[in-house]
Amino acid sequence: MILTIDFQSEIPIYQQIRAAVVAEIAAGRVKTGEKLPPIRTLANELKVNLHTVNKAYQQLEQEELIKLLGRRGAIVGEPSITDMQQTKKNLQQAVTEAVAYGLGYPELQKVVQQTCQRLKEGELIESHPGD
């Protein structure tokens, strides 16, 4: 798993790490049950403080995307039905808001298709503070 960080971005580094791991999972490059790089290793590779990586991993664990195994590292978790239902609700809310702000159905469809294509191509989909 190769992650890149933009140190000039307004997005906090831990959120960039979180978003990059989510993108790796979404693109299928990291699969359920697969080990993630240890916190220290990833911190060294990215040249960031290990607490920054730990914060990203903690958030991913709270979101139930990964499982922290103590000294044995972290693995990609199995999505639960509850997680999938919540994700669908979040998506429905996002679509509702997009339509309320004037985005039409053809544009929505195009955004979803482009996002899926970008994930397949390994492009990181940026998250923004508060996302």
Side-chain angles (χ1 to χ4, degrees):
M1 182 170 78
I2 299 173
L3 307 181
T4 56
I5 300 301
D6 178 1
F7 291 99
Q8 305 304 315
S9 174
E10 293 179 11
I11 300 170
I13 293 171
Y14 82 93
Q15 287 183 349
Q16 292 182 51
I17 294 168
R18 181 215 162 270
V21 172
V22 170
E24 290 292 301
I25 294 168
R29 288 185 293 277
V30 184
K31 307 215 182 301
T32 300
E34 191 172 328
K35 269 191 125 177
L36 295 175
I39 291 170
R40 273 188 210 285
T41 302
L42 188 55
N44 287 336
E45 287 175 6
L46 297 175
K47 297 181 181 6
V48 299
N49 188 295
L50 69 95
H51 296 293
T52 302
V53 176
N54 186 50
K55 186 172 181 178
Y57 275 22
Q58 290 288 331
Q59 186 173 358
L60 288 163
E61 183 180 47
Q62 286 178 331
E63 296 167 358
E64 298 182 3
L65 288 170
I66 70 170
K67 292 181 183 179
L68 295 176
L69 307 172
R71 293 181 182 255
R72 294 182 296 148
I75 61 170
V76 176
E78 180 78 38
S80 72
I81 291 173
T82 304
D83 295 332
M84 287 185 260
Q85 289 171 338
Q86 184 60 48
T87 300
K88 285 180 183 179
K89 286 180 183 177
N90 292 344
L91 181 57
Q92 289 169 344
Q93 181 63 36
V95 168
T96 300
E97 289 177 18
V99 171
Y101 285 109
L103 200 63
Y105 296 111
E107 293 170 291
L108 279 170
Q109 188 174 23
K110 186 177 178 181
V111 168
V112 170
Q113 289 172 337
Q114 288 174 340
T115 301
C116 290
Q117 185 62 40
R118 288 172 61 194
L119 285 170
K120 286 180 189 174
E121 294 170 358
E123 190 175 329
L124 178 64
I125 309 301
E126 290 213 19
S127 67
H128 300 282
D131 287 353

